């Protein structure tokens, strides 16, 4: 059995959202989910932030994941479009709990939005919706 050290929650979320058909459609194509604020826009930036719980780092842990919908640097992305991207991403994360178990993949047992998200532009003025989700998971067995 693997322990939580083998579970990369940020990578799990990026992989899931990168291949989520509805989110890809809202964003306008693939290649728009990752850990960086870089074109193409709009995009979803995912960051694991401090918080959560991993008692003994053994089997089950809860990880806090920051979800951001980022618009174009020139501020041309409409605010409603960013809100739609943000809410679609959070909804897609909730679907992780019902996906079929895949060999070698972590199992997500719960997703909870810790904030409903809000408009908080970057210091540069770039449009951004921001929220935090708690993801509870255990690593794949074996």
């Amino acid at each position: 059995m693997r322990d939580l050290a083998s579970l990369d929650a940020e990578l799990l979320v990026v992989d899931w959202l990168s291949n989520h058909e509805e989110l890809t459609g809202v964003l306008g194509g693939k290649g728009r989910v990752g850990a960086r604020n870089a074109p193409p826009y709009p995009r979803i930036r995912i960051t694991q932030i401090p918080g959560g719980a991993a008692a003994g780092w053994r089997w089950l842990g809860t990880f806090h994941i920051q979800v951001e919908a980022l618009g174009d640097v020139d501020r041309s992305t409409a605010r409603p479009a960013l809100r739609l991207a943000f809410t679609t991403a959070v909804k897609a994360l909730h679907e992780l709990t019902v996906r079929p178990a895949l060999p070698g993949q972590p199992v997500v047992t719960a997703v909870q939005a810790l904030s409903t998200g809000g408009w908080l532009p970057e210091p540069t003025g770039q449009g951004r919706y921001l929220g935090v989700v708690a993801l509870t998971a255990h690593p794949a067995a074996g």
Side-chain angles (χ1 to χ4, degrees):
M1 173 178 19
R2 297 178 182 169
D3 61 19
L4 284 178
S6 68
L7 196 161
D8 185 337
E10 186 176 303
L11 180 61
L12 170 68
V13 168
V14 168
D15 286 348
W16 174 256
L17 293 179
S18 292
N19 295 299
H20 192 274
E21 189 174 313
E22 183 181 2
L23 180 60
T24 300
V26 166
L27 292 174
K30 289 201 173 251
R32 294 171 182 254
V33 177
R36 296 179 45 219
N37 181 355
Y41 297 103
R43 75 179 293 107
I44 299 294
R45 178 168 57 182
I46 299 298
T47 310
Q48 184 176 336
I49 61 173
W57 283 92
R58 299 289 299 167
W59 182 242
L60 188 68
T62 299
F63 306 91
H64 288 181
I65 304 293
Q66 183 170 289
V67 180
E68 299 169 88
L70 297 161
D72 284 293
V73 178
D74 67 3
R75 305 177 194 170
S76 63
T77 308
R79 188 170 167 175
L82 289 180
R83 178 162 167 56
L84 177 60
F86 173 81
T87 57
T88 303
V90 172
K91 183 177 89 171
L93 289 177
H94 281 81
E95 294 171 6
L96 273 167
T97 61
V98 295
R99 76 173 178 163
L102 302 171
Q105 291 293 312
V107 176
V108 177
T109 60
V111 174
Q112 177 186 5
L114 300 179
S115 69
T116 57
W119 178 252
L120 185 63
E122 290 277 55
T124 61
Q126 179 183 15
R128 174 177 68 162
Y129 264 88
L130 172 79
V132 178
V133 170
L135 182 138
T136 302
H138 64 80

